[in-house]
Amino acid sequence: MTIRVRRVAAACALGAALTACGAPSAPHASRPAPSAPSAAVSRPPTLAPGPAGLTPVFKNGPRVDGKTVALTFDADMTADEGPRAAKGEHFDNPQLIATLRTLKVPATVFMTGRWADEYPAEARAIGRDPQFEIANHSYSHYAFTGDCYGLPTVSPDRMKADVERAYTAFKKAGVPNAMPYFRFPGGCYDRQALKTLSAVGVTAVQWDVVSGDAFATDSDAVAQQVLEGVQPGSVVVMHCTRSAAPATERAVRMIVPELRKKGYRFVKVSELIGATDRHR
């Protein structure tokens, strides 16, 4: 299930979601790309390493580069939730993906490897649809720091392997080109985690707008929180799950037309990161 959203200091702004979504380039040598891209595929934009070579952290795009906004959806499923899925709990939300398609809204889905293992056909369908891009949300959805919303933790010596295992799961599911972006479970990270993941070659992606959709049943409240928070270049964090974020699909149907009325254009995270890199 998804954990409740709490506003905390920059490193851990969101409650770790434990449920998910779904629907029926030559990277750096150290980046665990799930498959070798063809020569025609350009390298996805990434940020340069931070101080001391730490994994760079992206929060939002340029505020002065037009009214763009990225909706992101965490497809969360922890390593130990298989029995719940076997009993009928749905960790996906095909209707949300269908709505995004109908509204022609590009989006970035941060997927756990465990989710891809559970729903390979849905992972493949999302990953092969040019309207979407799949990024890494770890394999197990265990925290990369201590004291992260009660999540189990990954030890530093297993962090790199956990991220790479997720890319392997994407490849197994048939996702052709997962992006070199990583979202920390719960949004929780510290210097040790950034240092450990530097060898993976990913850009860590956070957000600047918390939707509050985890466990929410009031779609109006979710939509209002997003509409009040969005600025040019914003990254909105949401969830696509039937069991723990039931209001999200209805909220999206309200959010999208309202932001378009305000002149916003929806983009994937890769476009925002590319714009940020150009402004440096």
Side-chain angles (χ1 to χ4, degrees):
M1 70 181 170
T2 328
I3 71 158
R4 302 178 185 277
V5 174
R6 298 187 291 167
R7 296 180 181 277
V8 296
C12 291
L14 171 71
L18 303 183
T19 49
C21 77
S25 101
H28 188 278
S30 63
R31 185 175 298 139
S35 60
S38 67
V41 178
S42 61
R43 175 184 173 188
T46 55
L47 298 183
L54 297 180
T55 297
V57 179
F58 175 78
K59 182 179 178 183
N60 59 267
R63 302 299 193 192
V64 294
D65 200 28
K67 284 188 169 183
T68 55
V69 58
L71 299 185
T72 70
F73 298 89
D74 289 356
D76 303 334
M77 185 172 180
T78 63
D80 56 1
E81 287 179 335
R84 288 167 54 184
K87 290 180 180 179
E89 184 170 350
H90 295 288
F91 294 89
D92 61 346
N93 191 342
Q95 184 57 48
L96 175 58
I97 297 299
T99 295
L100 292 170
R101 287 188 173 117
T102 298
L103 295 174
K104 296 180 170 55
V105 176
T108 303
V109 178
F110 286 87
M111 187 179 292
T112 66
R114 180 63 186 87
W115 192 95
D117 283 346
E118 188 71 28
Y119 303 105
E122 297 180 33
R124 181 167 59 252
I126 297 170
R128 293 184 178 182
D129 187 335
Q131 183 173 320
F132 304 111
E133 60 188 13
I134 289 179
N136 197 312
H137 196 30
S138 80
Y139 180 83
S140 62
H141 203 271
Y142 289 176
F144 282 56
T145 67
D147 191 25
C148 183
Y149 305 101
L151 287 174
T153 58
V154 177
S155 62
D157 64 325
R158 295 297 302 162
M159 290 178 182
K160 180 174 178 287
D162 188 83
V163 175
E164 291 174 337
R165 186 181 179 189
Y167 279 115
T168 298
F170 302 155
K171 182 177 180 180
K172 180 181 177 182
V175 175
N177 291 293
M179 303 301 283
Y181 309 141
F182 177 71
R183 174 165 284 168
F184 286 98
C188 304
Y189 67 91
D190 56 18
R191 182 181 177 86
Q192 175 65 58
L194 294 179
K195 181 178 180 181
T196 300
L197 292 189
S198 63
V200 183
V202 293
T203 293
V205 176
Q206 296 288 94
W207 53 82
D208 66 320
V209 178
V210 176
S211 68
D213 66 339
F215 292 113
T217 56
D218 186 343
S219 55
D220 292 322
V222 173
Q224 181 178 357
Q225 184 156 317
V226 172
L227 294 172
E228 290 178 351
V230 165
Q231 304 176 60
S234 278
V235 175
V236 182
V237 61
M238 306 185 80
H239 303 86
C240 35
T241 175
R242 280 181 274 181
S243 60
T248 306
E249 189 270 339
R250 295 191 302 275
V252 164
R253 284 191 270 119
M254 290 184 276
I255 291 165
V256 170
E258 287 302 313
L259 285 179
R260 281 177 170 158
K261 285 179 186 178
K262 295 179 180 181
Y264 279 92
R265 178 173 64 91
F266 294 94
V267 300
K268 292 175 275 192
V269 164
S270 56
E271 183 169 333
L272 290 185
I273 290 179
T276 298
D277 194 47
R278 290 193 298 272
H279 276 266
R280 293 189 171 215

